[in-house]
Amino acid sequence: MRSPVRRQPSESPEEVHARLSSRVAALEDRVRRLEARLRAASPRPVAPVARGASGRAAVPVAPVSRRARPRCPGCTLELPPGRRGESCVWCGFVFSAVKRRRPAGRKKR
């Protein structure tokens, strides 16, 4: 027995290409808009690249390294700024379940 629903005729390669091209263009537009929103929400302004006397781009200055944010031992995500509670705000890991580790920079002799 045949199904009462007929199979749709297949699209021509040109139609498929046109449909996919429009989808790619829409996705690229969304990515551009998201990148613009991310740049607008960024707390640090992006410095323009300085040109040296030779006309080539100067070597960018390394950003000032801040102290690494503490991470949750359960999910390894950075904890938000402020006082640390008894558990992780992201996964609920209870910090009293593990001993506090020494900072990596200092070693006991």
Side-chain angles (χ1 to χ4, degrees), residues 2-108:
R2 290 192 177 177
S3 172
V5 179
R6 293 183 129 207
R7 214 177 94 186
Q8 295 293 327
S10 61
E11 296 180 56
S12 70
E14 294 83 20
E15 291 173 344
V16 171
H17 182 71
R19 184 171 47 87
L20 291 177
S21 294
S22 66
R23 289 182 69 188
V24 167
L27 286 172
E28 288 174 345
D29 185 48
R30 286 179 62 194
V31 168
R32 276 193 294 273
R33 282 187 274 147
L34 286 171
E35 287 173 344
R37 284 178 57 191
L38 181 64
R39 280 192 299 272
S42 176
R44 292 174 262 165
V46 177
V49 177
R51 301 276 177 192
S54 63
R56 292 187 297 171
V59 177
V61 178
V64 177
S65 64
R66 292 181 285 180
R67 196 171 110 196
R69 301 255 346 122
R71 292 182 174 268
C72 169
C75 62
T76 66
L77 292 173
E78 289 185 356
L79 296 171
R83 288 192 66 176
R84 186 171 90 170
E86 295 180 10
S87 62
C88 175
V89 296
W90 308 117
C91 69
F93 183 85
V94 179
F95 298 127
S96 61
V98 294
K99 291 182 182 178
R100 191 167 183 143
R101 296 185 336 176
R102 273 184 301 205
R106 297 183 183 187
K107 292 188 178 180
K108 199 172 184 180

